[in-house]
Amino acid sequence: MSTTCAMPNNIVRTREQVFQINLSKTHHESVIALAGNPNTGKSTIFNALTGLNQHTGNWPGKTVKRMEGKFRFHDRHYRLIDLPGTYSLLSTSTDEEIARNFVLFGKPDVTVVVVDSTCLERNLNLVLQIAQITNNVILCCNLIDEAKRKSISVDQKSLEQDLGIPVVLTSARSGDGLDELKQKIEALAMGQIRPQPFAVSYPHALKEPVETMTSSLRELFPTLPNPAWVAMRLLDGDEKIKEALASPELLPSLLNNDSNLTSENRIVPSNPSVNKIFNMADQLSQSVRPVMHDLFVESLFEDAQRITRRAVVKKNGVRIWDNSLDRFLTSRVFGIPAMLILLSVVFFLTIEGANIPSQILADWLFQIEDLLDQAFNYLNAPWWLTGFIVHGVYRGLAWVISVMLPPMAIFFPIFTFLEDFGYLPRVAFNLDRLFKWSGAHGKQALAMGMGFGCNAAGVIATRIIDSPRERLIAIITNNFVPCNGRWPTLIMLASLFVAAAFPSALSSVAAASTIVFITLFGVLITLLVSKFLSTRTSLRGESSFFQIELPPYRRPQFFRIFYTSLIDRTLLVLWRAIVMAAPAGGLCWLLANIYIGQYSLFAHAANFLQPLGQAIGLDGVILLAYIIAIPANEIIVPTIIMGYMAAGQMTELDSDFELKQLFVQNGWSVMTAVSLMLFSLLHYPCSTTTMTIWKETRSVKWTVVSNLLPLSIAFAVCFIVAQTWPLLF
Amino acid sequence: MALIKLSELSYGQTAALKEIKINGIQRRRLLDFGFIKDSEIRVAQRSPLGDPTAYWIKGALIALRKEETDHIFVEIIKHDKVNL
Ligand SMILES: Nc1nc2c(ncn2[C@@H]2O[C@H](COP(=O)(O)OP(=O)(O)OP(=O)(O)O)[C@@H](O)[C@H]2O)c(=O)[nH]1
Ligand SMILES: [Mg+2]
C-alpha cells in the first residue's frame, strides 16, 4: 500500500484551505468551540452566550454549517464556534467532518463539549476522545432540567475528579449554569486552570503497537502533544492524520505550541522518515486493524461506563409520558392517520386563520393604491410613471404582502412548534419503509420537512445524509415539497376554485384537504422519482442503512418559535418576495405597455406560448408568468394577475370575488386551477434553490438535472390532466 | 443461551448485545451509538409500516432498519410483563 500523502507536493495548501477553517483571529481573542453529540443543545448555548439567533430544533442534525459569534465576559473577547453535532471523531463520515476537523486542526483555545445529561455514558465516549486530543476541555452537562424530570442526578464533583477537566451543569434554555460556564471558559482561556484529562486505557491487544508507534512518533515529532492518540489514528489508517503529518503546512496544527516556534527553528521531519512511520503503522496494524476500532470503542465505553456509574444516580420506575406518546404517534394503527390529520389541521388553521387578515390587509393596501394614484395625478405625473410605479411595482408588492404574509405568519409558527416538539424525526421514522422501497435514505424525510419552509434550506439539510448517491437523490427531489413561496398560490387556488364547489361551512376543510392531497402527491412523485433515479440512472444503488436517534419530546420554546418563525422565516421570505416582486411588477408593466404593431410585447409573448400552455391545461399568460418569475416562486400569481390586467380587463382587485372574476373572464375553470396547482408543485426549483444545489453538488450536470427533470414531469403530469379532464367531467 | 437476531427480539424483552456482523462505516456508527458487546437493548417501538424499529440503548432511542438488525445478534436476558 502506498503511504505517501494523497496531496501533490508542489501544491502547498494551508490547513485553512484544506479544512476550510477560515478564522480571523485577533490576539486578544480566544476561540471557543462548542462540540458534542447531535441535539444536545449546542446551538441553544451558542445563542444564549452570543445573543444571536442560530436556529435550533429538536432533531439530530439541525446544524449542518459552522456558525460563529462573539461574546464578552469580564472585558475579554471570545469568539464562539457552534459546530454540527458528531457522535465520534473516529467514524470519518462526511457529516461529522466539519466538527472533527475543527476540533483537530482549528485548534480552539477551549473546547466545550456539550452533552446530554440524560444519556451521559454514550456522550462521554466523545468527551474521552476529545480529551485525548486537547487538554483544554470543559464538560458541559446540559439538559439538566430534563435529567431531573427523569429522576437522574449528576454528580459534578465526581465527574471533575474522574475526568480531570472542569465540569459545569447547565440547563441552556432557562440559562441555569451559563454564568459558571463562562467563568470556567475564562479561567481556562487565561491559563488559571490547567486540566489534566483522564488518560484512556488502551485495549490490551493494542498496547504493544501503540507503544511502539508512540515512541517513534516522539522521536520524530518531539513537540507532538498527543502522540498516543496520533499513533492510534495511524494504526487505524486515518488519511486526514496522515495528510497532516506529511505536510509542513498542516503539521503545526497537530503540534500544540506552534505559536512560539518561528518557521526557521521549527523542525520539519523529512518525507522519508514520515513515510517510515506510515509503513510501520501499516505493518503493526496488519494483525489488529480489522478489530482495533471495535476494541478501542469498547474500551472507551468501559471507561465511560465506570465514570458514569460513579457520577449518575437514576431512580427507576419513573413513568415518562414520552413513551406513551410515541406508542400513539408512531403506532401501527394511529401513526399514519395521526400524521395526516396533523397535516390537515395545520393547513386548515392556516387557511381559516389567514382569511380575514388577508382581506383586511388587501383592503388597506389597495386603498393606499388609490391614494397614490390620486397623488400622482395631482402632481401631474406622466401616465407612464403612474402606471409603472403605482399599477406595476406597487400593485405587485401589495398583492404579495396581502396574500403571503398572513398564511406564513400562521404556518411557520405551527411548523416550528412541531419541529421543536420533536415530531420531525418521527415522520422520518414512520415513512422510512417507503423511502427504503424507493432506494432513498430515510433521513430524506427530514430534509423534506425543512423544504416545507424553503427548498434551499431543504437542500442544505440533506447534508445529514452520508451516502453521496442518496444525498443527490434527496437534493434533486426536494423540489417536490411545496415551499412557502408556493403555499400562497396553492392556498389561493384551492380556496377560489376547489373550495367554492362546496357549501361555505365546509369550504376551509375542502381547501385544506386539497392542499393535503397536493402535498401527498408531491411525496408520491418524490418516491417515484427516487425509485427511478436509484434503479435506472447512474445513481443506481441499494438503499443504505438508516440509523437515526429519536430525541425525547420537548416542550417547545414559545418565544424562540415566535422569533425564528416570524422574524427569521416569515419576514425574510416576505422581504425576498418584495425584492423580487417589485422589479417583476415593473417589467410586466413595461412588457404590457410597449407596443409592436397592434399588440404589446406581453401579448405577443403570451400568444406565442398559448398553444403550449393550452396543451397542459394552462395558457400563454401563465407560462409567461413562470418565465418572468423564475427568480422567485412567490410572485407567480401577482405576475399572472398583472398580465391579465395589463390586457386592460379590470383595474381594481380588492376582493377574492373580483379576483376569481378576473380569472374566469380569462377562461379559467377548475381544471385550470388544478393544472396550475400541479404545475406549481412540480415545475422547477427557484433560482435561489438552484444556486444552492450548485453550491452543494458543485456539478453543472446535476444542477441541470434538478431543473429539467421536474420540468418534464410537470409538463407530463399537466398534459395528462388536461387531456383526461374533459373525458371525466 | 442461544443467540437470536435483534430483529427477532419482541417488545418487552431485554437482551444483551453479542455480535455485529456488519462492517464498514455502518459498524462504526453502531459502535458510536453504544452498540458494543454486552450492552443492554430493548425494543421501544416499531414503525407503523413494520420497519424500522426503535430500540432503547444506553438511554437513547435509536431507530434501525431490519437489514441491519438481521445482522446484529443478541441474547435475551429478561422478559418483562408487557403492559400495553
Ligand atoms: N429542556 C431543555 N431543552 C433544551 C436545553 N437545551 C436545549 N434544549 C432543546 O434541545 C433541542 C436541541 O437544541 P439545539 O441547540 O438545536 O441542539 P444542537 O446541539 O445544536 O443540535 P445539532 O445542531 O443537531 O447538533 C432544542 O429543541 C432545544 O430547545 C435544556 O437545557 N433543557
Ligand atoms: Mg445546532
Side-chain angles (χ1 to χ4, degrees):
Chain A
M1 200 183 123
S2 151
T3 49
T4 42
C5 158
M7 203 166 55
N9 282 336
N10 52 343
I11 303 173
V12 179
R13 291 183 295 170
T14 62
R15 72 188 160 112
E16 279 79 9
Q17 285 167 325
V18 175
F19 302 110
Q20 297 170 5
I21 309 161
N22 317 305
L23 268 187
S24 47
K25 180 178 163 183
T26 56
H27 259 306
H28 35 265
E29 210 175 42
S30 309
V31 175
I32 318 294
L34 287 170
N37 281 9
N39 208 35
T40 53
K42 296 176 293 299
S43 300
T44 310
I45 291 183
F46 177 85
N47 289 341
L49 293 190
T50 59
L52 291 174
N53 286 293
Q54 161 86 316
H55 285 199
T56 62
N58 191 11
W59 50 286
K62 174 76 191 180
T63 307
V64 288
K65 279 196 242 180
R66 203 183 73 206
M67 262 293 282
E68 282 189 40
K70 290 176 181 184
F71 71 94
R72 262 175 73 159
F73 184 64
H74 289 167
D75 281 330
R76 273 179 69 93
H77 294 266
Y78 298 89
R79 182 179 290 252
L80 193 62
I81 320 285
D82 183 22
L83 294 169
T86 168
Y87 286 103
S88 115
L89 300 181
L90 305 170
S91 287
T92 56
S93 76
T94 42
D95 60 332
E96 299 188 334
E97 209 157 297
I98 297 178
R100 180 190 130 110
N101 285 347
F102 192 82
V103 174
L104 276 181
F105 304 113
K107 297 222 314 171
D109 296 303
V110 178
T111 304
V112 177
V113 191
V114 182
V115 302
D116 177 350
S117 305
T118 66
C119 184
L120 197 61
E121 183 186 330
R122 196 198 65 208
N123 281 259
L124 278 186
N125 171 28
L126 178 68
V127 178
L128 290 174
Q129 290 177 38
I130 293 179
Q132 277 181 281
I133 301 169
T134 160
N135 284 352
N136 296 333
V137 194
I138 296 176
L139 173 62
C140 171
C141 295
N142 192 33
L143 293 149
I144 271 294
D145 55 323
E146 212 158 80
K148 246 179 225 142
R149 179 163 75 84
K150 295 183 177 170
S151 295
I152 299 171
S153 72
V154 178
D155 183 344
Q156 182 180 6
K157 285 272 138 22
S158 152
L159 281 176
E160 275 186 343
Q161 232 158 42
D162 286 348
L163 289 166
I165 57 176
V167 176
V168 191
L169 308 184
T170 63
S171 169
R173 265 164 59 155
S174 58
D176 289 347
L178 292 182
D179 257 329
E180 194 185 335
L181 176 63
K182 281 191 264 190
Q183 263 152 21
K184 293 210 162 140
I185 289 176
E186 179 187 38
L188 209 78
M190 309 225 318
Q192 289 164 349
I193 18 177
R194 294 188 181 280
Q196 291 294 321
F198 164 84
V200 299
S201 37
Y202 287 97
H204 201 68
L206 297 180
K207 260 206 179 99
E208 229 187 81
V210 169
E211 268 163 23
T212 321
M213 285 289 298
T214 309
S215 56
S216 308
L217 277 168
R218 234 184 231 126
E219 255 169 53
L220 202 55
F221 305 98
T223 48
L224 198 65
N226 35 28
W229 188 83
V230 174
M232 271 298 298
R233 296 315 299 145
L234 287 178
L235 288 170
D236 204 13
D238 189 322
E239 292 297 327
K240 286 275 183 218
I241 298 295
K242 280 187 178 177
E243 198 173 318
L245 281 181
S247 141
E249 285 297 318
L250 292 173
L251 185 60
S253 56
L254 283 179
L255 306 175
N256 242 356
N257 43 355
D258 58 331
S259 49
N260 25 6
L261 283 178
T262 60
S263 47
E264 286 110 64
N265 59 16
R266 188 196 292 149
I267 315 141
V268 178
S270 62
N271 249 355
S273 44
V274 175
N275 281 347
K276 222 170 75 197
I277 291 253
F278 292 169
N279 283 331
M280 185 172 155
D282 281 343
Q283 254 153 31
L284 282 172
S285 64
Q286 250 162 24
S287 55
V288 285
R289 196 170 278 178
V291 289
M292 76 169 285
H293 192 84
D294 285 37
L295 289 176
F296 187 51
V297 177
E298 273 167 21
S299 85
L300 281 176
F301 265 103
E302 242 166 61
D303 288 333
Q305 194 172 40
R306 200 164 19 84
I307 296 170
T308 316
R309 282 221 177 107
R310 275 207 288 265
V312 173
V313 184
K314 185 177 176 176
K315 257 195 240 133
N316 274 329
V318 195
R319 274 195 83 87
I320 304 288
W321 53 270
D322 294 48
N323 307 356
S324 339
L325 190 60
D326 254 344
R327 296 202 69 74
F328 175 74
L329 284 180
T330 61
S331 80
R332 190 141 233 173
V333 186
F334 301 109
I336 305 274
M339 213 166 69
L340 293 179
I341 290 171
L342 215 60
L343 197 64
S344 315
V345 169
V346 171
F347 292 140
F348 177 78
L349 290 177
T350 307
I351 293 171
E352 186 76 344
N355 238 334
I356 293 169
S358 264
Q359 194 59 57
I360 295 173
L361 264 176
D363 285 347
W364 197 64
L365 290 169
F366 286 112
Q367 263 169 24
I368 295 181
E369 184 180 330
D370 289 343
L371 290 179
L372 275 176
D373 206 8
Q374 283 166 19
F376 272 66
N377 279 336
Y378 179 76
L379 294 171
N380 282 327
W383 68 273
W384 53 265
L385 190 66
T386 315
F388 183 78
I389 304 263
V390 181
H391 302 298
V393 176
Y394 179 83
R395 189 177 286 163
L397 287 183
W399 206 90
V400 165
I401 294 174
S402 64
V403 169
M404 290 187 59
L405 182 59
M408 283 197 306
I410 299 173
F411 178 79
F412 280 144
I414 303 180
F415 181 80
T416 315
F417 178 92
L418 288 175
E419 185 189 345
D420 223 20
F421 182 54
Y423 189 61
L424 239 47
R426 266 78 186 178
V427 173
F429 179 67
N430 282 347
L431 295 181
D432 179 61
R433 188 155 204 175
L434 301 176
F435 285 98
K436 184 166 81 181
W437 168 82
S438 72
H441 199 284
K443 284 187 190 169
Q444 187 167 326
L446 291 175
M448 287 166 70
M450 296 324 286
F452 268 116
C454 166
N455 290 133
V459 168
I460 294 176
T462 61
R463 289 186 188 179
I464 51 175
I465 299 172
D466 278 344
S467 121
R469 181 189 78 83
E470 288 161 327
R471 185 163 173 228
L472 259 176
I473 293 179
I475 288 178
I476 294 170
T477 53
N478 198 271
N479 166 64
F480 301 124
V481 183
C483 64
N484 57 57
R486 295 181 270 169
W487 290 124
T489 311
L490 296 175
I491 291 176
M492 186 204 76
L493 293 170
S495 322
L496 283 190
F497 285 90
V498 183
F502 291 82
S504 64
L506 285 178
S507 63
S508 288
V509 176
S513 316
T514 310
I515 310 253
V516 170
F517 189 80
I518 292 279
T519 309
L520 291 182
F521 186 73
V523 174
L524 178 71
I525 294 286
T526 300
L527 291 170
L528 292 177
V529 171
S530 305
K531 178 82 178 169
F532 167 77
L533 289 172
S534 58
T535 49
R536 296 289 157 82
T537 66
S538 61
L539 295 182
R540 213 176 301 115
E542 288 288 300
S543 170
S544 71
F545 294 123
F546 172 72
Q547 298 161 323
I548 192 176
E549 180 168 3
L550 302 176
Y553 290 106
R554 288 185 174 132
R555 189 176 49 78
Q557 277 177 293
F558 289 92
F559 175 73
R560 182 145 294 279
I561 286 180
F562 189 75
Y563 184 89
T564 39
S565 53
L566 288 189
I567 309 293
D568 267 19
R569 285 183 168 154
T570 308
L571 288 188
L572 204 83
V573 168
L574 192 69
W575 173 242
R576 201 174 82 99
I578 288 173
V579 169
M580 301 287 184
L587 180 67
C588 251
W589 190 88
L590 283 178
L591 286 176
N593 285 283
I594 297 175
Y595 279 75
I596 297 182
Q598 208 181 339
Y599 297 108
S600 68
L601 278 180
F602 197 99
H604 280 298
N607 283 339
F608 175 75
L609 292 168
Q610 184 71 7
L612 182 62
Q614 260 171 351
I616 58 169
L618 308 175
D619 65 22
V621 172
I622 300 176
L623 285 189
L624 183 58
Y626 267 99
I627 295 172
I628 294 176
I630 280 179
N633 282 299
E634 292 83 342
I635 55 170
I636 287 297
V637 175
T639 312
I640 295 173
I641 295 173
M642 285 185 278
Y644 289 146
M645 292 201 301
Q649 307 249 357
M650 204 177 217
T651 47
E652 295 271 319
L653 267 192
D654 41 18
S655 76
D656 279 1
F657 177 73
E658 285 166 57
L659 193 61
K660 187 171 178 183
Q661 283 300 109
L662 176 72
F663 290 145
V664 172
Q665 277 170 12
N666 281 280
W668 284 35
S669 63
V670 176
M671 183 197 78
T672 321
V674 171
S675 295
L676 184 52
M677 282 196 272
L678 289 172
F679 195 79
S680 160
L681 172 77
L682 302 170
H683 68 105
Y684 41 72
C686 70
S687 54
T688 311
T689 308
T690 302
M691 273 304 294
T692 311
I693 293 176
W694 186 78
K695 270 191 210 144
E696 295 291 307
T697 60
R698 294 274 157 196
S699 147
V700 176
K701 177 181 150 201
W702 291 117
T703 311
V704 171
V705 168
S706 359
N707 276 274
L708 290 188
L709 188 70
L711 188 62
S712 0
I713 293 172
F715 270 100
V717 168
C718 291
F719 181 78
I720 293 170
V721 169
Q723 301 309 315
T724 52
W725 190 278
L727 307 177
L728 297 173
F729 296 94
Chain B
M1 239 191 96
L3 296 189
I4 60 163
K5 293 176 183 169
L6 179 55
S7 55
E8 292 165 351
L9 194 69
S10 28
Y11 185 75
Q13 293 174 327
T14 305
L17 194 130
K18 289 298 171 193
E19 203 180 346
I20 301 178
K21 291 193 175 149
I22 298 169
N23 285 317
I25 182 81
Q26 270 82 21
R27 182 192 191 88
R28 292 185 169 214
R29 196 37 82 68
L30 285 170
L31 289 169
D32 295 340
F33 278 139
F35 283 76
I36 51 170
K37 207 164 177 304
D38 294 327
S39 291
E40 272 191 21
I41 187 162
R42 250 171 343 113
V43 177
Q45 182 71 41
R46 270 184 226 291
S47 153
L49 302 175
D51 189 43
T53 303
Y55 298 92
W56 281 114
I57 185 153
K58 305 261 181 215
L61 200 52
I62 309 284
L64 301 175
R65 282 181 181 169
K66 189 166 180 298
E67 278 78 355
E68 244 162 324
T69 50
D70 273 347
H71 298 101
I72 298 174
F73 294 86
V74 300
E75 188 184 303
I76 297 174
I77 48 178
K78 203 161 66 197
H79 291 265
D80 286 351
K81 261 190 287 163
V82 180
N83 41 3
L84 284 173

